[in-house]
Amino acid sequence: MSALLQLSGVSRHFGGLKAVSGVDLSVERGEVIGLIGPNGAGKTTLVNLITGVHPATTGKVSFAGKDVTRQKPWQAARRGIARTFQIVQPFPEMTVLENVAAAALFAGGMAYGAHAESAALEHLRFVGLADVAATRAATLTLAMRKRLELAKGLAMNPQLLLLDEVNAGLNSSEIDHALTLIRAIAARGVTILIIEHLMKVVLNLCSRIVVLHHGELIASGDPQSIVRDARVVQAYLGRRYADASG
Amino acid sequence: MKQGVLTGLALLAILCALPLGVDSYWLRLGTTMLMYGVLAMSWNFIGGMAGYPSFASAAFFGLGAYAGAVAQKFGLSMFIAWSLAGVVAAMFAAALGFALLRLRGHYFAIASLVVAEVLREIVNSATDLTGGGKGLNLPVPQMASIDDQARFFYYAMLGVAVLAFSAVFATQRSRLGFGLRCIRQNESAADMLGVNVTLYKVNAFILSGVFVGIAGAVYASWVHYIEPPDVFDVLYSVKAIVMVLLGGAGTLYGPLVGAVLFLSLEELVWRNYISVHTGMLGLLIVLLVLFLPKGILAFRPGRA
Ligand SMILES: Nc1ncnc2c1ncn2[C@@H]1O[C@H](COP(=O)(O)OP(=O)(O)O)[C@@H](O)[C@H]1O
Ligand SMILES: [Mg+2]
């Protein structure tokens, strides 16, 4: 069977800046893959290329065997590519429930009405936000907003879920909760690409890690070989990490 | 929901009974109020629900007025001409929407402001078809008395208002209305959640144009004579916005409340101070934005 997501020579330039350049990557169905790299490496931009937020300057993006390089974000959403935002993006004046119902409705393909709301409530229960379903999204704490992003992502009924730093800014018990959730999502058969700074999370979840540096994919492999890779250590992890884990 | 329907029906009954036993001054005022209501409810689709500050109302109004007038000049009956005006306004809104709704916020507002001016120039120069600056006369419907005629146009405008109101009601309870709320609050998030934002905005723009176009045609028949500066008056655009802001953007009854309040102000105050009219309007906009960003209805507990 062919890969779920296939990037071939994908680049994105902003003026003279090569935010992403010549990335080849293929993600298999059911895989949980980690994307790491220093700040400004181009990780978020890569997600934007996969979801049609920015068109690729060159290269090709395929999803489920189809060329989707020129797709619009709403088309990506309906095809089954969901994402969470590094900077969370709720509809502030809507209730938490309405936020998730919107995802179920427009991306998940549900009909308008009570059905979408009960599906939304189900997802809120799953991420532990059922109690605040009727509150305005703007009033949520950061940790709750991150979980709302997860619930929205799930309500989109995705085949591929792109998680952009869902744990940034969370404390360690909140991170543990998030880890449990992500593992449960993966267990449902959703393919996950997770951008993450915390090596603990990546090593815990991922069967494969790819490393982005200055927009280029410099390494790809299983977690153990990545933490020993000299270029990765130099670019990102730092000598101390290599020594400690060595 | 049930209570909402009852409120609507009660309001309709009152509006139907209103012309009985009032003189022509009140009939004219009532017809104007309904026309303002159509302008406000229509703007609510694009400005209130989608959050795009359109100044295109005057363009739709003038286009509808001229479409209706020209159609009757070519011998079509009045009702057909009015319907045709709605179709023309809707098609124009669709084309314009695809072009302009790529622009966000202030850029869209400015671009939409220019449209009425451009249409007015076109109508001005298409003398053969429109009579140009000399204006265009419309056939006067044959009725027993002047009062009957006034009542007829009151009910015609009421019909357009009921259409617009029903459209608002249905939209607010639909996927389209929900998608528009998403767009207003965070357009790129809506896009990424699967809302076909361009299509939704264009639909909102069409809804903001079609009833105004019909109202323009009814207005043209009502006053028997139109000329470009009259029907392409930018004040139609400004008034629509002020009325919605006054009553409450995005709500069902807000635009109607705003229309009544605005017309009252206009009748009581500005008629006597014509020269300061525009200045007052500007002042009112500033006050609204500063002190009443959610409209009068937001003051009532339990309602937004
Ligand atoms: N819309 C944009 N316009 C211009 N430059 C951008 C844009 N988005 C990202 N960049 C630049 O591209 C580079 C990669 O950014 P980003 O993908 O956000 O990195 P990461 O997510 O890995 O921290 C940065 O130098 C950033 O400033
Ligand atoms: Mg980033």
Side-chain angles (χ1 to χ4, degrees), chain A residues 52-193:
Chain A
V53 174
H54 298 314
T57 309
T58 59
K60 183 177 156 191
V61 182
S62 309
F63 181 73
K66 197 167 185 292
D67 184 347
V68 297
T69 315
R70 297 278 151 235
Q71 72 186 337
K72 294 271 190 291
W74 63 270
Q75 293 172 315
R78 291 187 188 182
R79 283 199 176 106
I81 308 176
R83 71 172 303 177
T84 65
F85 289 89
Q86 183 173 359
I87 298 155
V88 292
Q89 301 258 5
F91 301 116
E93 301 299 323
M94 288 189 190
T95 66
V96 169
L97 186 69
E98 284 176 316
N99 266 274
V100 182
L105 210 68
F106 295 108
M110 296 193 75
Y112 182 78
H115 247 60
E117 296 216 333
S118 61
L121 195 59
E122 203 51 46
H123 295 301
L124 285 176
R125 260 188 221 117
F126 177 73
V127 302
L129 286 180
D131 290 346
V132 293
T135 35
R136 275 174 55 234
T139 64
L140 296 188
T141 63
L142 178 69
M144 286 173 149
R145 286 184 203 198
K146 295 269 184 183
R147 275 190 267 157
L148 174 57
E149 285 288 310
L150 266 184
K152 278 160 73 179
L154 282 176
M156 291 169 76
N157 191 22
Q159 296 184 59
L160 174 65
L161 182 59
L162 308 162
L163 302 173
D164 195 352
E165 305 203 14
V166 274
N167 296 309
L170 302 190
N171 67 33
S172 78
S173 77
E174 288 163 350
I175 289 173
D176 285 341
H177 184 213
L179 269 175
T180 315
L181 287 180
I182 294 167
R183 216 174 273 121
I185 295 168
R188 295 177 176 188
V190 178
T191 307
I192 297 176
L193 184 141

Side-chain angles (χ1 to χ4, degrees), chain B residues 52-208:
Chain B
Y52 273 71
S54 163
F55 279 85
S57 307
F60 298 135
F61 189 83
L63 188 65
Y66 268 96
V70 170
Q72 289 179 70
K73 186 173 138 181
F74 283 106
L76 291 180
S77 77
M78 190 169 63
F79 285 111
I80 304 240
W82 292 353
S83 315
L84 194 70
V87 173
V88 169
M91 280 171 24
F92 182 70
L96 193 64
F98 275 111
L100 292 190
L101 287 164
R102 292 163 206 282
L103 306 168
R104 297 221 174 156
H106 307 305
Y107 297 102
F108 169 77
I110 290 165
S112 69
L113 186 60
V114 179
V115 177
E117 304 299 313
V118 173
L119 285 183
R120 179 169 60 190
E121 281 315 309
I122 293 174
V123 167
N124 245 328
S125 50
T127 327
D128 289 345
L129 203 59
T130 64
K134 287 205 300 290
L136 204 55
N137 283 301
L138 283 96
V140 183
Q142 297 304 311
M143 307 232 171
S145 70
I146 298 282
D147 271 2
D148 277 355
Q149 219 178 70
R151 258 190 291 279
F152 170 78
F153 282 108
Y154 174 91
Y155 284 117
M157 210 56 101
L158 179 59
V160 186
V162 168
L163 282 180
F165 183 86
S166 311
V168 176
F169 187 85
T171 302
Q172 283 189 330
R173 281 153 192 78
S174 74
R175 202 181 174 84
L176 174 63
F178 193 34
L180 292 175
R181 279 174 66 207
C182 293
I183 290 172
R184 186 188 59 207
Q185 291 181 39
N186 190 334
E187 183 165 342
S188 56
D191 191 1
M192 253 162 292
L193 228 51
V195 181
N196 186 347
V197 288
T198 310
L199 187 68
Y200 273 54
K201 289 187 292 183
V202 169
N203 278 328
F205 204 48
I206 291 172
L207 284 167
S208 85

